[in-house]
Amino acid sequence: MTPDTHWDAELTVLGPGISEAVQWAKLVVQHAEGMHLTDSTGRRVTDLMGGAGVNLLGHSHPAYLEAMGRQMSSWMIGAHAGAARLEMTRQLRQLLPAHLNRIQLYSGGSEAVESAIRLAKSATGRYEVLSFWQAFHGRTLGSLAHTSGASTALGPTAPGSIKAPYANCAHCPLKLTHPRCGLACVELTRAILREQSTGSLAAILVEPVQGRAGNIAPPAGYLAALRQLANDHGALLIADESLTGMGRTGAVLASDSPDSRPDIVVLGKGLGNGYPVSAVCASTTLMETGPYGSPSASSSSYGGFPLACQAVAVVAETVRVEQLAERARRLGDRILHRLRHDLADTPLVAGVHGRGLAIGVELHVTGKDQLRRVFQSLLHAGILVMTGGHTLRLYPPLTADAHELDAAVDALINVLQRHPAP
């Protein structure tokens, strides 16, 4: 069966709304190891898509396979106490900031974002949530209101949702330049709250680095300013670290510093390295305030099941013991420097963004068809990437071999330099 025939057979049954990049690639994967995929034709592809940031430890990581196999052979179903869940709590306590001492597990990022919003409302007794332009927080009913463009043609979103511009300095909506702007976008956000809030702000919901927008890292001081803004309104700061958490951006949490420390953190994607698990992390005081802490009020059908707990435990231990956050910082700094230098005069490239091993290469393209042609040129050269807007998004595993990663970057640069400008 050819890859096209295989895909045609699947798509007669599957829903049509799968990722555009996955559809463009039309890969039929037979095997995966480290940062490489082998398809049904025997072709080896360097996987910089990484499940949109899920592939934290690399495909088929030996410790991960051993731990998950051991758990599958002993117990899989039920949220009862067990060795895997106790080990998960032990490993996370050694990795996460001390104030995030309680964790509730879920199955996906949207579910965890919904839970974080419920927690904020429960703890504050308020109902408004401020989020940001170009954000992605999920596609369930509550998270949909905070995901840019996702509610088109779907009718009204959840009440109490307020939007403000994100600190995207490459495309400042105020046409200003950082640092001379003095974080004018935050002052605009204050003005938006004055005009739109009813005085019932429960939370500010923010991605420390905006993923789908192209791995946009805000300038220094931005998250601290949002922390202060939340304090001024008696609201909580929720950091959606589904993509950025567990070391991806060069720190265990991209949001955790003394002047910007969030009240609630959402984890997902790399948290399970391929097993579908997400989490809401907060303090005991917050979790026990209001209805959220009542029995069954914040539970999930699969939250706390042993395979999920085992996945989180081995990921957390590996990130800590192998110092993968620091490794992501070092590798990411080098790759970002190379891309910015080597692509500076490339007509196709509008800019390079990112932090750690969450990298975006923004292109001068005007539509999906042009983006698809660039994507497929890269795939022809053996490089698989993620897309978002007009950006190629790169998410290598934190364990990636440095020489193999350099070779992948060489190939990517070569394709972009040779590809015709739009």
Side-chain angles (χ1 to χ4, degrees):
M1 182 181 290
T2 68
D4 282 346
T5 304
H6 186 119
W7 269 88
D8 289 344
E10 287 192 3
L11 291 179
T12 60
V13 179
L14 291 177
I18 59 178
S19 162
E20 67 179 12
V22 170
Q23 291 190 63
W24 291 346
K26 283 195 172 181
L27 289 174
V28 180
V29 177
Q30 298 282 37
H31 178 72
E33 186 172 356
M35 60 184 292
H36 301 288
L37 304 172
T38 302
D39 72 5
S40 58
T41 70
R43 177 177 55 158
R44 192 168 184 252
V45 176
T46 299
D47 180 14
L48 301 185
M49 177 186 284
V54 169
N55 191 22
L56 201 78
L57 304 186
H59 296 291
S60 306
H61 188 280
Y64 184 86
L65 292 181
E66 190 280 326
M68 296 298 279
R70 176 167 28 89
Q71 188 61 53
M72 288 180 70
S73 67
S74 61
W75 172 46
M76 291 175 56
I77 300 170
H80 311 290
R85 194 160 73 183
L86 183 62
E87 180 63 9
M88 176 201 70
T89 62
R90 190 178 76 83
Q91 292 297 340
L92 283 178
R93 283 178 71 91
Q94 296 180 76
L95 194 66
L96 296 178
H99 76 288
L100 301 176
N101 60 359
R102 300 296 285 271
I103 180 170
Q104 179 70 52
L105 294 187
Y106 297 95
S107 302
S110 298
E111 188 182 9
V113 168
E114 295 271 1
S115 180
I117 291 172
R118 291 201 312 274
L119 173 54
K121 292 180 176 181
S122 173
T124 63
R126 301 175 180 181
Y127 69 92
E128 292 175 341
V129 177
L130 169 71
S131 58
F132 296 90
W133 296 1
Q134 302 306 313
F136 185 90
H137 296 290
R139 296 190 180 95
T140 50
L141 186 60
S143 62
L144 193 71
H146 305 288
T147 293
S148 181
S151 59
T152 301
L154 297 178
T157 56
S161 303
I162 302 172
K163 291 288 191 71
Y166 191 78
N168 183 347
C169 296
H171 300 282
C172 176
L174 299 174
K175 310 301 182 186
L176 300 174
T177 303
H178 185 268
R180 287 181 295 174
C181 66
L183 291 176
C185 56
V186 177
E187 294 310 307
L188 177 59
T189 302
R190 286 186 182 276
I192 289 170
L193 285 173
R194 285 195 299 270
E195 289 294 319
Q196 297 185 23
S197 174
T198 64
S200 191
L201 187 67
I204 297 175
L205 172 64
V206 64
E207 297 167 273
V209 174
Q210 281 197 331
R212 191 180 66 168
N215 294 320
I216 303 300
Y222 179 67
L223 293 179
L226 294 185
R227 171 73 273 176
Q228 186 59 53
L229 183 60
N231 294 345
D232 293 346
H233 285 263
L236 303 179
L237 182 62
I238 304 174
D240 184 353
E241 299 233 23
S242 296
L243 174 65
T244 55
M246 306 301 287
R248 167 65 63 186
T249 57
V252 172
L253 297 179
S255 61
D256 186 50
S257 66
D259 58 356
S260 63
R261 188 156 288 168
D263 302 290
I264 303 169
V265 169
V266 173
L267 296 174
K269 292 190 180 292
L271 180 66
N273 198 58
Y275 191 88
V277 59
S278 59
V280 171
C281 310
S283 67
T284 298
T285 301
L286 278 183
M287 287 256 189
E288 291 183 346
T289 303
Y292 188 90
S294 301
S296 297
S298 60
S299 63
S300 169
S301 292
Y302 301 101
F305 270 34
L307 276 175
C309 293
Q310 189 62 261
V312 174
V314 71
V315 167
E317 181 179 22
T318 305
V319 168
R320 177 179 59 83
V321 172
E322 297 187 11
Q323 299 181 311
L324 293 184
E326 173 61 21
R327 190 170 194 275
R329 185 194 64 77
R330 292 196 310 271
L331 288 175
D333 284 352
R334 192 173 83 229
I335 292 169
L336 282 164
H337 175 77
R338 284 195 60 201
L339 291 172
R340 285 168 177 158
H341 179 270
D342 292 355
L343 297 175
D345 298 319
T346 302
L348 181 64
V349 176
V352 177
H353 315 292
R355 183 178 297 163
L357 291 179
I359 296 169
V361 180
E362 185 181 356
L363 304 180
H364 286 298
V365 293
T366 58
K368 293 292 186 185
D369 192 55
Q370 290 179 337
L371 182 66
R372 178 184 56 79
R373 287 199 293 270
V374 176
F375 173 92
Q376 290 178 334
S377 294
L378 286 166
L379 186 59
H380 182 73
I383 306 298
L384 177 68
V385 300
M386 188 60 184
T387 58
H390 294 165
T391 302
L392 307 174
R393 297 157 60 194
L394 316 179
Y395 301 114
L398 276 54
T399 56
D401 178 85
H403 297 296
E404 290 183 341
L405 193 52
D406 280 339
V409 172
D410 287 341
L412 183 140
I413 290 170
N414 185 56
V415 169
L416 296 183
Q417 288 177 336
R418 292 173 178 271
H419 200 280

